[in-house]
Amino acid sequence: MTAAAGFQSLTFERLSESEQINRSRTFLAQIRTRRTVRDFSPEPVPFELIENAIAAAATAPSGANQQPWTFVLVSDADVKQRIRAAAEAEEKLSYEQRMSQEWLDALAPLGTDWHKPHLELAPYLIVVFRQAYSEHTDPNTGETARIKHYYTEESVGIAVGILLAALHLSGLATLTHTPSPMKFLTEILNRPVNERPYLVIPVGYPAEDAQVPIITKKSLDEVLVHVGSST
Ligand code: IYR
């Protein structure tokens, strides 16, 4: 599969310090403008933007380089409609019966509820699956062996981070949607049992009147603990 075929010298572009600072500041400024969007326009999106973002995500580091991800790209209106209907059925139960008051209170500032029109409106849904393990069939004996995968949660999380950054830098809006339970995605998208639904990401342009909650991110002081001196 993906075993290293030995070693080769690293290709690494050493930048001048001023170029490093420039790139670092530019990226920070760009990524700071990312928002989770729930109001989408049905306007189509250039396909290459989606393909390139998924290709970028697929460069992520992963446990034993096993690349335990599958990105199912849905643009078919009928399939999007089925995903919306199934997600709303689960979410309605969650919001009305399964989620604790503490959870509902924590979510209240985001203004979410069980209605998920974006699952139909956004031109693309990227449904991310995590491969808990894989299978290899010996071409000679026909025997199938199960291959253990390592750190799949971390690996897919990193890939999704790159995916969201790539889509944002391409001028697109995304939503990280976690319907629960997500088993309906396996059924609708006909995925094998080793693939576990991880996240649904509607992608597109924001609606013209898109609203987002007024929220803040923690300051650097709150998230960065430095052991050592910063010189
Ligand atoms: N999965 C639900 C609820 C939800 C939960 C959390 I934690 C969020 O940050 C946002 C939503 C939904 O998608 O509405």
Side-chain angles (χ1 to χ4, degrees), residues 38 91 94-95 99 103 107 110 112-114 116 176-180:
R38 293 190 165 79
E91 291 293 282
S94 291
Y95 277 89
M99 288 156 78
W103 191 352
L107 275 183
L110 303 183
T112 60
D113 62 26
W114 64 264
K116 305 295 174 193
T176 36
H177 175 49
T178 50
S180 174

Side-chain angles (χ1 to χ4, degrees), residues 58-81:
T59 69
S62 61
N65 191 35
Q66 285 168 322
Q67 305 164 62
W69 40 66
T70 305
F71 302 92
V72 179
L73 181 60
V74 182
S75 55
D76 181 275
D78 179 57
V79 177
K80 285 195 292 181
Q81 191 273 324

Side-chain angles (χ1 to χ4, degrees), residues 84-165:
R84 175 186 177 179
E88 286 187 332
E90 290 294 358
E91 291 293 282
K92 191 165 191 296
L93 274 176
S94 291
Y95 277 89
E96 291 178 355
Q97 296 175 34
R98 294 193 284 232
M99 288 156 78
S100 65
Q101 192 55 48
E102 184 180 5
W103 191 352
L104 293 171
D105 290 348
L107 275 183
L110 303 183
T112 60
D113 62 26
W114 64 264
H115 296 96
K116 305 295 174 193
H118 41 259
L119 292 174
E120 255 185 292
L121 267 176
Y124 291 106
L125 304 179
I126 303 175
V127 186
V128 184
F129 287 84
R130 175 181 69 85
Q131 299 169 359
Y133 59 89
S134 62
E135 280 173 340
H136 176 73
T137 305
D138 188 311
N140 300 318
T141 64
E143 268 174 46
T144 298
R146 186 179 281 208
I147 297 161
K148 198 171 154 37
H149 281 177
Y150 304 95
Y151 297 103
T152 58
E153 293 281 358
E154 291 84 349
S155 303
V156 180
I158 294 166
V160 167
I162 294 175
L163 180 64
L164 297 178

